Amino acid sequence: MTADGTRGPRWWTPSLLPYVIALHLARVGFAATAAYPFAAITSRTLGSWPGGDAQVFEPGGYLMMEVVRLHRAALWSAAEQASLLLLLALPIGAVLEGLLLSALTCTDGRSFSRVAGRVASAAGALGVLEVARLIVIAGVTLTTYVLVQGLRPTLSEWVGIKAADIGAWMMAAMGVLLVLAVEVMYDVSRAAAVLEGLDTPRALVRGFTLVGTRLAACAFGYGARAAGALFVVVIGWQLSAAVGLATDGRAAVTATLQQVVLIALLVLRVSWLVRARELLGEKGHCTSAHCAP
Amino acid sequence: MFALLGATAAVLLARGWDARVVDPAQPDAQPSEPRLVQPLAAAPSPSPQEPVSERLDPSFDRDQAMPVRARAVASYTMRAALDPVAHTIVGTSNVRWTNASTQPVRELYLHLYLNAFKSERTTFMAQRVPGGRGTGALLDAGHLTISELRVPAMSEDNLWPWARPADPTNPDDETDMRVPLPAQVAPDSEIEIEVKWQAKLPAIVERSGYWGTFHMVGQWFPKIAKLQADGTFAHFAYHHLGEFYADYGDYDVTIEVPSRFMVGATGERVGDTIDGDRRVVRHVQRDVHDFAFAAWDGFEEHVADAGGVSIRCLVPRGYGRAAAKQIEAATFGLQYFAAKFGAYPYATLTIVHPPTGAEEAGGMEYPTLITTGGPWYEPSWVGVARSLTLHELAHQYFYGLVGTDEATWPMLDEGLATLAEVDALQAGWGAGAALRVPGLSLSAFAVLRGMGLQGGQDAVIAQPARSFSSARTYGTLVYARTALLLETVGRAYGDGIQGTVGRYARRYRYGHPGPSHLLGAVRDVLGDAAAEALRVGLFDRGWVDFAISDMRCDAERDGSGQHRCELVMTRRGNLRLPVQVDLLLEDGTRQRITWEGLEPQELVVHTGRSPVIGVIVDPEHRIMLDEDLANNAMTTHSRAQAWRVHALGTTLAAMVIGAIAR
């Protein structure tokens, strides 16, 4: 609910559906492209065997190891290519989520041209925020790594190996928490840039201010969904393992389960963006001047 | 799932327990008193590539055929005091040595292994090869210095001043020393040798040394080289990749350390007293050929009983989880190996887990003492700790109880230990022995194959450790490929290799066998062709790649409704092995044939009402050395797409993209 009591669109609002579907298709499309070389390599190794690639998942992994052993170089190359695809997915993901954020605004401004127009006008801020996000996350990761590696030997001498290991894990956990905090800040600032038309510095200040003043709401809003995502992944993995891939029928069920997991993750993501918009307050709701026709 | 794993392990443990008291070859037989069989004084074979002429009959599949005791050729009574600040050991040895050869002996060869770390000019340091442990900088040198060596029965003189390095090409190497005796020692005669010495341990390097207050004391005392049957000594300089070889004997060792230190050592602890600020422990053990100990003030002790064998696990404080995992593996391994290779004859097993920083001391075997390693938190779905424990434990048999020459034939200890380790992992932890997560598992045999085929023809397997040019090649060939080769031969010619290895292990307990004895055991259990395949694999860089090269089916023109199918099977490489081939027929049935694999290629003609639509060479994966399984199958249908892999890959990639690309 917005600050003035009006509700913005929810994640299931039909007008959002095209953007959610586009986001899902884009992710799956990129993912399928990235995964294809691995499947092709497997097919060329085991395609003539009666069990096909089901043998990769047989207990003991005898033929999975064979695929890896015979095509180690090709698999590494495919992994590098997948990483490059991920780089390409970064700006496209930012644009698609920008469209989704833009569509979260008032009903009178939700035509595609207006939605896209808001994203276009905020493109500079979105780009800068994305780069800033990546730099900060890389910095946090690197700093955490250096701290862990640098302090661990000393800690080990002071408090013993086990306590030092636990200390290192706590430092790593702190690093993860910092990264999550950056993600929250990024999402809120980005929403402010798109929905309120703020430039980068002001969007950042807005994000900082909001997180500072509504810390518990932000932490709970993001944390609950992150925990939910983890839960969905674990349950999905367990269910997939239980169903297995022994027959085509089971494999089809497993593949469907995997799609359900992806969609559930997407719903959680969209739900968080909706919540971020709500946290921004009245400037994000329908009567905003920015949304006026 | 983990509960299920635990239950499986418990069942297997129970099986192992049973196997200890009942002969697995004759499960209904009552245990009987062991016969006294003299250990072999293994006469050298004419050629290590030829099987010995002696025939190993099935009686050697039973423990009753094993010798009860080793012949005590070199027995040591020692007293040693460790100074953990100076990292020195001051010691005395009283050695009872018997000339067990057929010739009189006029000299002794002594191995002073710690001198490998005396300077950068020793054979060990100067001839280091890339990879493996022992390649780092020598942070603090070590040495072993003898001040006196006397043989009172011959002379009161100190004989050590006449000692010289045995290797004339490197006078800076004092790991292999020759000492002339003032009189000859007749065959079967015994002499007593008194030695006073001082050892300085290096900073931890290649199994031995100190790290802080942790001390791993291996290869630490003056040790008489193995006397061969022909009166010569198997003496050698300590090499980077090489290990050891010695005669059996009885050890009685008294060790003095600061009172706050805990000691883990070879053999039974028969004394442990605190005298002021010093602790004095005494360990005795019969029928072993080495003695090592670890001393540290940071140990935490865990004990268990495994069917009468007392397990003592010394780990860094807080490593209880690691200790439990290692004790579990050792308990299983003791029972399993006893059933496979003969009863474990000692009352104790000590496991030493070195601390972080002293990893080079880990993963090593000594009689009744093994060293392990790894983090304290290794999760239960990863099998590294149990794999390492089982490997070192398997060395109690393959090197320990058979007493092979590790320096000259390292594949006889490392290869057989790896085979035993992997087999035990498979038996105890099944398909997920190496890794088990929901939906995905990795067996120890799959990992072994991955390791043993990487560069597996780079050198001859059966060669001395010092002849290998890299530790990676040594590891691949001596550990993994030897085990793969043995398993392949066992599966190709029988139901496995374990029975053969069991007969070999029992027959040659305390016998110092060589490659020819292993070849002989394979010949006698699996046949001449199997022994020849093993010989080619060990000595001739044997390799094999089975493939189905072509396939064609045509309907007979005589209107009989029969189909004539021609299949071209190919064997690449110099290993000739029989292989099973499955023909998949259109009516859904399978027909299995065996191809002896004697020729490089063979045309197989199949005629029947149902045409062949697919062929699989080696469907049961018996030929574990097969270089390429991708060419083992052929089908008339179009190649199957890997949509399962694609679907899973897409899901995982989409998750990553969803988490990062926002």
mmCIF file of all heavy atoms in Angstrom, chain A residues 31-32 43-44 47 49 53 60 66 69 130 133 161-162 165 190 222 237 248 258, chain B residues 318-319 376 438 441 443 449 454 627 629 639-640 642 644-646 650-651 660 662:
data_model
loop_
_atom_site.group_PDB
_atom_site.id
_atom_site.type_symbol
_atom_site.label_atom_id
_atom_site.label_comp_id
_atom_site.label_asym_id
_atom_site.label_seq_id
_atom_site.Cartn_x
_atom_site.Cartn_y
_atom_site.Cartn_z
ATOM 1 N N ALA A 31 19.463 -18.516 -20.584
ATOM 2 C CA ALA A 31 19.933 -19.707 -19.870
ATOM 3 C C ALA A 31 20.009 -20.905 -20.815
ATOM 4 O O ALA A 31 20.984 -21.678 -20.783
ATOM 5 C CB ALA A 31 18.996 -20.013 -18.702
ATOM 6 N N ALA A 32 18.992 -21.046 -21.660
ATOM 7 C CA ALA A 32 18.996 -22.181 -22.592
ATOM 8 C C ALA A 32 20.154 -22.066 -23.569
ATOM 9 O O ALA A 32 20.800 -23.066 -23.928
ATOM 10 C CB ALA A 32 17.674 -22.241 -23.335
ATOM 11 N N SER A 43 25.394 -34.944 -25.697
ATOM 12 C CA SER A 43 24.713 -35.703 -26.749
ATOM 13 C C SER A 43 25.711 -36.388 -27.666
ATOM 14 O O SER A 43 25.529 -37.541 -28.055
ATOM 15 C CB SER A 43 23.817 -34.748 -27.548
ATOM 16 O OG SER A 43 23.327 -35.399 -28.681
ATOM 17 N N ARG A 44 26.780 -35.689 -28.010
ATOM 18 C CA ARG A 44 27.768 -36.285 -28.910
ATOM 19 C C ARG A 44 28.579 -37.377 -28.221
ATOM 20 O O ARG A 44 29.207 -38.202 -28.884
ATOM 21 C CB ARG A 44 28.690 -35.197 -29.468
ATOM 22 C CG ARG A 44 27.961 -34.314 -30.432
ATOM 23 C CD ARG A 44 28.823 -33.300 -31.132
ATOM 24 N NE ARG A 44 27.979 -32.460 -31.970
ATOM 25 C CZ ARG A 44 27.489 -32.824 -33.151
ATOM 26 N NH1 ARG A 44 27.781 -34.009 -33.633
ATOM 27 N NH2 ARG A 44 26.717 -32.009 -33.845
ATOM 28 N N GLY A 47 25.039 -39.970 -27.054
ATOM 29 C CA GLY A 47 23.826 -40.024 -27.877
ATOM 30 C C GLY A 47 23.561 -41.385 -28.489
ATOM 31 O O GLY A 47 22.414 -41.716 -28.797
ATOM 32 N N TRP A 49 24.336 -44.270 -26.993
ATOM 33 C CA TRP A 49 24.038 -45.237 -25.938
ATOM 34 C C TRP A 49 22.529 -45.304 -25.754
ATOM 35 O O TRP A 49 21.834 -44.276 -25.864
ATOM 36 C CB TRP A 49 24.697 -44.816 -24.621
ATOM 37 C CG TRP A 49 26.175 -45.052 -24.585
ATOM 38 C CD1 TRP A 49 27.131 -44.309 -25.211
ATOM 39 C CD2 TRP A 49 26.851 -46.103 -23.915
ATOM 40 N NE1 TRP A 49 28.374 -44.830 -24.963
ATOM 41 C CE2 TRP A 49 28.235 -45.943 -24.156
ATOM 42 C CE3 TRP A 49 26.448 -47.164 -23.125
ATOM 43 C CZ2 TRP A 49 29.195 -46.794 -23.654
ATOM 44 C CZ3 TRP A 49 27.403 -48.024 -22.603
ATOM 45 C CH2 TRP A 49 28.771 -47.840 -22.868
ATOM 46 N N ASP A 53 21.378 -39.363 -22.418
ATOM 47 C CA ASP A 53 21.974 -38.564 -21.345
ATOM 48 C C ASP A 53 21.411 -38.906 -19.970
ATOM 49 O O ASP A 53 21.866 -38.340 -18.972
ATOM 50 C CB ASP A 53 21.829 -37.076 -21.637
ATOM 51 C CG ASP A 53 20.392 -36.594 -21.491
ATOM 52 O OD1 ASP A 53 19.473 -37.416 -21.678
ATOM 53 O OD2 ASP A 53 20.201 -35.399 -21.203
ATOM 54 N N GLY A 60 26.504 -43.176 -9.157
ATOM 55 C CA GLY A 60 27.919 -43.437 -9.374
ATOM 56 C C GLY A 60 28.552 -42.517 -10.397
ATOM 57 O O GLY A 60 29.758 -42.292 -10.375
ATOM 58 N N GLU A 66 32.854 -39.630 -17.586
ATOM 59 C CA GLU A 66 33.411 -39.836 -18.923
ATOM 60 C C GLU A 66 33.213 -38.594 -19.785
ATOM 61 O O GLU A 66 34.114 -38.189 -20.518
ATOM 62 C CB GLU A 66 32.741 -41.052 -19.585
ATOM 63 C CG GLU A 66 33.331 -41.462 -20.916
ATOM 64 C CD GLU A 66 34.742 -42.025 -20.812
ATOM 65 O OE1 GLU A 66 35.307 -42.022 -19.702
ATOM 66 O OE2 GLU A 66 35.289 -42.443 -21.846
ATOM 67 N N ARG A 69 35.670 -36.103 -18.534
ATOM 68 C CA ARG A 69 37.049 -36.503 -18.838
ATOM 69 C C ARG A 69 37.389 -36.293 -20.312
ATOM 70 O O ARG A 69 38.443 -35.766 -20.658
ATOM 71 C CB ARG A 69 37.236 -37.976 -18.472
ATOM 72 C CG ARG A 69 38.663 -38.476 -18.508
ATOM 73 C CD ARG A 69 38.708 -39.959 -18.201
ATOM 74 N NE ARG A 69 38.135 -40.757 -19.261
ATOM 75 C CZ ARG A 69 38.763 -41.095 -20.383
ATOM 76 N NH1 ARG A 69 39.987 -40.673 -20.592
ATOM 77 N NH2 ARG A 69 38.171 -41.844 -21.297
ATOM 78 N N GLU A 130 23.703 0.449 -12.163
ATOM 79 C CA GLU A 130 24.112 -0.947 -12.420
ATOM 80 C C GLU A 130 25.625 -1.098 -12.278
ATOM 81 O O GLU A 130 26.117 -2.020 -11.616
ATOM 82 C CB GLU A 130 23.667 -1.348 -13.828
ATOM 83 C CG GLU A 130 24.155 -2.708 -14.296
ATOM 84 C CD GLU A 130 23.325 -3.855 -13.739
ATOM 85 O OE1 GLU A 130 22.111 -3.851 -13.958
ATOM 86 O OE2 GLU A 130 23.908 -4.732 -13.079
ATOM 87 N N ARG A 133 26.622 -0.736 -8.710
ATOM 88 C CA ARG A 133 26.276 -1.963 -7.966
ATOM 89 C C ARG A 133 27.339 -3.037 -8.149
ATOM 90 O O ARG A 133 27.823 -3.645 -7.186
ATOM 91 C CB ARG A 133 24.925 -2.459 -8.465
ATOM 92 C CG ARG A 133 24.569 -3.858 -8.036
ATOM 93 C CD ARG A 133 23.623 -4.485 -9.030
ATOM 94 N NE ARG A 133 23.281 -5.851 -8.707
ATOM 95 C CZ ARG A 133 23.061 -6.799 -9.611
ATOM 96 N NH1 ARG A 133 23.151 -6.517 -10.895
ATOM 97 N NH2 ARG A 133 22.761 -8.013 -9.246
ATOM 98 N N ILE A 161 42.583 -23.602 15.232
ATOM 99 C CA ILE A 161 42.166 -23.743 13.833
ATOM 100 C C ILE A 161 40.650 -23.715 13.686
ATOM 101 O O ILE A 161 40.100 -23.035 12.825
ATOM 102 C CB ILE A 161 42.732 -25.065 13.272
ATOM 103 C CG1 ILE A 161 44.261 -24.993 13.234
ATOM 104 C CG2 ILE A 161 42.184 -25.335 11.882
ATOM 105 C CD1 ILE A 161 44.935 -26.335 13.161
ATOM 106 N N LYS A 162 39.973 -24.440 14.562
ATOM 107 C CA LYS A 162 38.522 -24.540 14.428
ATOM 108 C C LYS A 162 37.861 -23.173 14.639
ATOM 109 O O LYS A 162 37.014 -22.748 13.846
ATOM 110 C CB LYS A 162 37.977 -25.556 15.428
ATOM 111 C CG LYS A 162 36.513 -25.836 15.271
ATOM 112 C CD LYS A 162 36.084 -26.958 16.195
ATOM 113 C CE LYS A 162 34.604 -27.262 16.032
ATOM 114 N NZ LYS A 162 34.192 -28.379 16.889
ATOM 115 N N ASP A 165 38.485 -21.009 11.707
ATOM 116 C CA ASP A 165 37.610 -21.343 10.577
ATOM 117 C C ASP A 165 36.218 -20.751 10.771
ATOM 118 O O ASP A 165 35.625 -20.184 9.848
ATOM 119 C CB ASP A 165 37.498 -22.867 10.423
ATOM 120 C CG ASP A 165 38.738 -23.471 9.768
ATOM 121 O OD1 ASP A 165 39.486 -22.707 9.131
ATOM 122 O OD2 ASP A 165 38.950 -24.682 9.901
ATOM 123 N N ARG A 190 16.941 2.280 -7.836
ATOM 124 C CA ARG A 190 16.511 2.119 -9.229
ATOM 125 C C ARG A 190 15.010 2.431 -9.356
ATOM 126 O O ARG A 190 14.575 3.090 -10.300
ATOM 127 C CB ARG A 190 16.808 0.686 -9.669
ATOM 128 C CG ARG A 190 16.789 0.493 -11.152
ATOM 129 C CD ARG A 190 17.391 -0.833 -11.516
ATOM 130 N NE ARG A 190 16.843 -1.933 -10.720
ATOM 131 C CZ ARG A 190 16.746 -3.190 -11.149
ATOM 132 N NH1 ARG A 190 17.186 -3.477 -12.345
ATOM 133 N NH2 ARG A 190 16.259 -4.122 -10.375
ATOM 134 N N TYR A 222 12.971 -7.765 1.905
ATOM 135 C CA TYR A 222 13.937 -8.450 1.038
ATOM 136 C C TYR A 222 14.316 -9.808 1.609
ATOM 137 O O TYR A 222 14.341 -10.819 0.895
ATOM 138 C CB TYR A 222 15.188 -7.586 0.873
ATOM 139 C CG TYR A 222 16.113 -8.068 -0.230
ATOM 140 C CD1 TYR A 222 15.949 -7.615 -1.535
ATOM 141 C CD2 TYR A 222 17.124 -8.979 0.034
ATOM 142 C CE1 TYR A 222 16.779 -8.055 -2.557
ATOM 143 C CE2 TYR A 222 17.953 -9.430 -0.977
ATOM 144 C CZ TYR A 222 17.785 -8.965 -2.266
ATOM 145 O OH TYR A 222 18.601 -9.410 -3.268
ATOM 146 N N TRP A 237 14.927 -28.806 -5.623
ATOM 147 C CA TRP A 237 16.041 -29.742 -5.856
ATOM 148 C C TRP A 237 15.723 -31.120 -5.272
ATOM 149 O O TRP A 237 15.936 -32.154 -5.906
ATOM 150 C CB TRP A 237 17.323 -29.173 -5.238
ATOM 151 C CG TRP A 237 18.538 -29.998 -5.527
ATOM 152 C CD1 TRP A 237 18.971 -31.095 -4.851
ATOM 153 C CD2 TRP A 237 19.457 -29.809 -6.606
ATOM 154 N NE1 TRP A 237 20.114 -31.594 -5.427
ATOM 155 C CE2 TRP A 237 20.435 -30.832 -6.498
ATOM 156 C CE3 TRP A 237 19.570 -28.859 -7.624
ATOM 157 C CZ2 TRP A 237 21.497 -30.927 -7.402
ATOM 158 C CZ3 TRP A 237 20.631 -28.967 -8.510
ATOM 159 C CH2 TRP A 237 21.571 -29.995 -8.405
ATOM 160 N N ASP A 248 11.490 -41.347 -19.355
ATOM 161 C CA ASP A 248 11.143 -40.091 -20.005
ATOM 162 C C ASP A 248 10.043 -39.375 -19.228
ATOM 163 O O ASP A 248 10.040 -38.150 -19.108
ATOM 164 C CB ASP A 248 10.684 -40.358 -21.445
ATOM 165 C CG ASP A 248 11.877 -40.612 -22.355
ATOM 166 O OD1 ASP A 248 13.029 -40.487 -21.876
ATOM 167 O OD2 ASP A 248 11.660 -40.943 -23.537
ATOM 168 N N GLN A 258 11.319 -28.025 -12.475
ATOM 169 C CA GLN A 258 12.357 -27.000 -12.587
ATOM 170 C C GLN A 258 11.767 -25.683 -13.089
ATOM 171 O O GLN A 258 12.133 -24.601 -12.622
ATOM 172 C CB GLN A 258 13.468 -27.498 -13.524
ATOM 173 C CG GLN A 258 14.277 -28.642 -12.917
ATOM 174 C CD GLN A 258 15.133 -29.377 -13.933
ATOM 175 O OE1 GLN A 258 15.102 -29.072 -15.109
ATOM 176 N NE2 GLN A 258 15.874 -30.370 -13.477
ATOM 177 N N GLY B 318 39.403 -29.925 18.800
ATOM 178 C CA GLY B 318 38.234 -29.436 18.075
ATOM 179 C C GLY B 318 37.922 -30.221 16.819
ATOM 180 O O GLY B 318 36.965 -29.929 16.109
ATOM 181 N N TYR B 319 38.744 -31.234 16.545
ATOM 182 C CA TYR B 319 38.557 -32.026 15.320
ATOM 183 C C TYR B 319 37.783 -33.327 15.595
ATOM 184 O O TYR B 319 38.018 -34.340 14.942
ATOM 185 C CB TYR B 319 39.921 -32.367 14.705
ATOM 186 C CG TYR B 319 40.498 -31.287 13.824
ATOM 187 C CD1 TYR B 319 40.628 -29.985 14.281
ATOM 188 C CD2 TYR B 319 40.930 -31.568 12.530
ATOM 189 C CE1 TYR B 319 41.166 -29.001 13.489
ATOM 190 C CE2 TYR B 319 41.468 -30.582 11.722
ATOM 191 C CZ TYR B 319 41.584 -29.307 12.213
ATOM 192 O OH TYR B 319 42.125 -28.328 11.411
ATOM 193 N N TRP B 376 38.350 -30.000 9.701
ATOM 194 C CA TRP B 376 37.532 -30.598 10.767
ATOM 195 C C TRP B 376 36.062 -30.648 10.379
ATOM 196 O O TRP B 376 35.280 -31.364 10.990
ATOM 197 C CB TRP B 376 37.695 -29.803 12.066
ATOM 198 C CG TRP B 376 37.336 -28.340 11.924
ATOM 199 C CD1 TRP B 376 38.179 -27.331 11.570
ATOM 200 C CD2 TRP B 376 36.052 -27.741 12.087
ATOM 201 N NE1 TRP B 376 37.510 -26.143 11.506
ATOM 202 C CE2 TRP B 376 36.194 -26.360 11.825
ATOM 203 C CE3 TRP B 376 34.789 -28.219 12.439
ATOM 204 C CZ2 TRP B 376 35.131 -25.472 11.890
ATOM 205 C CZ3 TRP B 376 33.725 -27.337 12.503
ATOM 206 C CH2 TRP B 376 33.901 -25.980 12.238
ATOM 207 N N PRO B 438 21.601 -34.889 -3.295
ATOM 208 C CA PRO B 438 20.356 -35.405 -3.856
ATOM 209 C C PRO B 438 20.357 -35.360 -5.386
ATOM 210 O O PRO B 438 20.595 -34.316 -5.987
ATOM 211 C CB PRO B 438 19.300 -34.459 -3.270
ATOM 212 C CG PRO B 438 19.889 -33.994 -1.995
ATOM 213 C CD PRO B 438 21.361 -33.882 -2.254
ATOM 214 N N SER B 441 25.407 -38.521 -7.718
ATOM 215 C CA SER B 441 26.403 -39.207 -6.889
ATOM 216 C C SER B 441 27.614 -39.541 -7.751
ATOM 217 O O SER B 441 27.521 -39.613 -8.980
ATOM 218 C CB SER B 441 25.812 -40.487 -6.287
ATOM 219 O OG SER B 441 25.424 -41.377 -7.306
ATOM 220 N N SER B 443 30.905 -42.269 -7.737
ATOM 221 C CA SER B 443 31.520 -43.415 -7.079
ATOM 222 C C SER B 443 33.035 -43.286 -7.082
ATOM 223 O O SER B 443 33.617 -42.531 -7.867
ATOM 224 C CB SER B 443 31.119 -44.703 -7.796
ATOM 225 O OG SER B 443 31.763 -44.776 -9.043
ATOM 226 N N ARG B 449 38.779 -43.820 -12.469
ATOM 227 C CA ARG B 449 38.895 -43.846 -13.924
ATOM 228 C C ARG B 449 39.288 -42.456 -14.455
ATOM 229 O O ARG B 449 40.137 -42.325 -15.333
ATOM 230 C CB ARG B 449 37.568 -44.293 -14.530
ATOM 231 C CG ARG B 449 37.630 -44.534 -15.998
ATOM 232 C CD ARG B 449 36.332 -45.115 -16.512
ATOM 233 N NE ARG B 449 36.071 -44.628 -17.840
ATOM 234 C CZ ARG B 449 36.674 -45.066 -18.928
ATOM 235 N NH1 ARG B 449 37.555 -46.028 -18.837
ATOM 236 N NH2 ARG B 449 36.411 -44.551 -20.108
ATOM 237 N N GLN B 454 44.166 -40.082 -17.349
ATOM 238 C CA GLN B 454 44.774 -38.808 -17.738
ATOM 239 C C GLN B 454 46.283 -38.998 -17.920
ATOM 240 O O GLN B 454 47.002 -39.095 -16.945
ATOM 241 C CB GLN B 454 44.512 -37.737 -16.670
ATOM 242 C CG GLN B 454 43.058 -37.354 -16.513
ATOM 243 C CD GLN B 454 42.476 -36.739 -17.767
ATOM 244 O OE1 GLN B 454 41.536 -37.254 -18.339
ATOM 245 N NE2 GLN B 454 43.038 -35.651 -18.208
ATOM 246 N N GLU B 627 39.835 -46.388 -23.156
ATOM 247 C CA GLU B 627 40.195 -44.971 -23.244
ATOM 248 C C GLU B 627 39.020 -44.061 -23.592
ATOM 249 O O GLU B 627 39.025 -42.881 -23.259
ATOM 250 C CB GLU B 627 41.287 -44.777 -24.310
ATOM 251 C CG GLU B 627 42.641 -45.317 -23.919
ATOM 252 C CD GLU B 627 43.407 -44.387 -23.005
ATOM 253 O OE1 GLU B 627 43.099 -43.188 -22.999
ATOM 254 O OE2 GLU B 627 44.307 -44.870 -22.294
ATOM 255 N N LEU B 629 34.741 -44.158 -24.010
ATOM 256 C CA LEU B 629 33.463 -44.870 -23.997
ATOM 257 C C LEU B 629 32.474 -44.282 -25.000
ATOM 258 O O LEU B 629 31.431 -44.878 -25.259
ATOM 259 C CB LEU B 629 32.850 -44.840 -22.593
ATOM 260 C CG LEU B 629 33.669 -45.513 -21.488
ATOM 261 C CD1 LEU B 629 32.928 -45.458 -20.161
ATOM 262 C CD2 LEU B 629 34.003 -46.956 -21.850
ATOM 263 N N ARG B 639 20.964 -39.763 -33.398
ATOM 264 C CA ARG B 639 21.582 -39.545 -32.087
ATOM 265 C C ARG B 639 20.597 -38.868 -31.129
ATOM 266 O O ARG B 639 19.941 -37.884 -31.501
ATOM 267 C CB ARG B 639 22.825 -38.686 -32.290
ATOM 268 C CG ARG B 639 23.532 -38.271 -31.044
ATOM 269 C CD ARG B 639 24.916 -37.742 -31.377
ATOM 270 N NE ARG B 639 24.914 -36.763 -32.462
ATOM 271 C CZ ARG B 639 24.669 -35.476 -32.291
ATOM 272 N NH1 ARG B 639 24.406 -35.004 -31.103
ATOM 273 N NH2 ARG B 639 24.696 -34.653 -33.321
ATOM 274 N N ALA B 640 20.535 -39.390 -29.909
ATOM 275 C CA ALA B 640 19.605 -38.832 -28.922
ATOM 276 C C ALA B 640 20.096 -37.473 -28.433
ATOM 277 O O ALA B 640 21.303 -37.275 -28.225
ATOM 278 C CB ALA B 640 19.479 -39.796 -27.748
ATOM 279 N N ALA B 642 20.496 -34.534 -25.673
ATOM 280 C CA ALA B 642 20.674 -34.565 -24.213
ATOM 281 C C ALA B 642 19.739 -33.541 -23.575
ATOM 282 O O ALA B 642 20.175 -32.556 -22.982
ATOM 283 C CB ALA B 642 22.132 -34.290 -23.866
ATOM 284 N N ARG B 644 17.780 -33.798 -21.012
ATOM 285 C CA ARG B 644 17.811 -33.735 -19.542
ATOM 286 C C ARG B 644 18.905 -32.775 -19.084
ATOM 287 O O ARG B 644 18.699 -31.938 -18.207
ATOM 288 C CB ARG B 644 18.070 -35.122 -18.962
ATOM 289 C CG ARG B 644 16.950 -36.114 -19.175
ATOM 290 C CD ARG B 644 17.397 -37.510 -18.752
ATOM 291 N NE ARG B 644 16.341 -38.491 -18.846
ATOM 292 C CZ ARG B 644 16.022 -39.132 -19.960
ATOM 293 N NH1 ARG B 644 16.673 -38.880 -21.088
ATOM 294 N NH2 ARG B 644 15.050 -40.021 -19.974
ATOM 295 N N VAL B 645 20.076 -32.942 -19.694
ATOM 296 C CA VAL B 645 21.195 -32.050 -19.347
ATOM 297 C C VAL B 645 20.830 -30.614 -19.712
ATOM 298 O O VAL B 645 21.111 -29.673 -18.958
ATOM 299 C CB VAL B 645 22.475 -32.496 -20.083
ATOM 300 C CG1 VAL B 645 23.574 -31.463 -19.933
ATOM 301 C CG2 VAL B 645 22.941 -33.847 -19.554
ATOM 302 N N HIS B 646 20.190 -30.457 -20.857
ATOM 303 C CA HIS B 646 19.830 -29.102 -21.289
ATOM 304 C C HIS B 646 18.835 -28.470 -20.328
ATOM 305 O O HIS B 646 18.960 -27.292 -19.960
ATOM 306 C CB HIS B 646 19.251 -29.148 -22.711
ATOM 307 C CG HIS B 646 19.297 -27.812 -23.393
ATOM 308 N ND1 HIS B 646 18.684 -27.541 -24.574
ATOM 309 C CD2 HIS B 646 19.902 -26.647 -23.025
ATOM 310 C CE1 HIS B 646 18.893 -26.304 -24.917
ATOM 311 N NE2 HIS B 646 19.642 -25.732 -23.996
ATOM 312 N N THR B 650 19.704 -25.323 -18.123
ATOM 313 C CA THR B 650 18.914 -24.098 -18.308
ATOM 314 C C THR B 650 18.398 -23.592 -16.969
ATOM 315 O O THR B 650 18.455 -22.389 -16.672
ATOM 316 C CB THR B 650 17.735 -24.380 -19.261
ATOM 317 O OG1 THR B 650 18.260 -24.789 -20.524
ATOM 318 C CG2 THR B 650 16.875 -23.148 -19.435
ATOM 319 N N THR B 651 17.923 -24.498 -16.145
ATOM 320 C CA THR B 651 17.403 -24.091 -14.832
ATOM 321 C C THR B 651 18.495 -23.446 -13.986
ATOM 322 O O THR B 651 18.303 -22.378 -13.400
ATOM 323 C CB THR B 651 16.828 -25.315 -14.093
ATOM 324 O OG1 THR B 651 15.843 -25.918 -14.931
ATOM 325 C CG2 THR B 651 16.206 -24.912 -12.775
ATOM 326 N N ILE B 660 21.897 -12.423 -10.677
ATOM 327 C CA ILE B 660 22.913 -11.419 -11.010
ATOM 328 C C ILE B 660 22.392 -10.354 -11.967
ATOM 329 O O ILE B 660 22.613 -9.154 -11.749
ATOM 330 C CB ILE B 660 24.148 -12.120 -11.609
ATOM 331 C CG1 ILE B 660 24.780 -13.019 -10.551
ATOM 332 C CG2 ILE B 660 25.156 -11.097 -12.110
ATOM 333 C CD1 ILE B 660 25.909 -13.866 -11.053
ATOM 334 N N ARG B 662 19.994 -8.092 -13.015
ATOM 335 C CA ARG B 662 18.749 -7.484 -12.536
ATOM 336 C C ARG B 662 18.578 -6.100 -13.122
ATOM 337 O O ARG B 662 19.533 -5.432 -13.407
ATOM 338 C CB ARG B 662 18.757 -7.413 -11.017
ATOM 339 C CG ARG B 662 18.790 -8.792 -10.414
ATOM 340 C CD ARG B 662 18.821 -8.744 -8.935
ATOM 341 N NE ARG B 662 18.382 -10.028 -8.392
ATOM 342 C CZ ARG B 662 18.291 -10.275 -7.109
ATOM 343 N NH1 ARG B 662 18.589 -9.346 -6.235
ATOM 344 N NH2 ARG B 662 17.887 -11.446 -6.679
#
